[in-house]
Amino acid sequence: MSLSDPTYLPNALYHQVLHAHQPDEEADGFTDAFPLKTASRVEGMRGAGAA
């Protein structure tokens, strides 16, 4: 993936948001819904505008 790839920015932002909101290590970890909810916080990751 390169900077000219239109999916680069949403993917990079998704990883930043995912990392910033990850559950504590003592918790059970991600639920199935967690990555989808996190993707909803990044424009272009989900819905009609998604690449």
Side-chain angles (χ1 to χ4, degrees):
M1 185 179 318
S2 71
L3 291 175
S4 61
D5 183 339
T7 63
Y8 176 80
L9 184 57
N11 282 310
L13 291 174
Y14 172 71
H15 285 276
Q16 289 178 345
V17 172
L18 189 66
H19 179 72
H21 295 94
Q22 65 185 342
D24 291 330
E25 290 183 19
E26 295 81 27
D28 289 337
F30 297 134
T31 63
D32 291 340
F34 180 78
L36 297 174
K37 183 177 179 182
T38 302
S40 295
R41 296 178 180 198
V42 179
E43 185 176 345
M45 287 299 296
R46 296 196 65 198

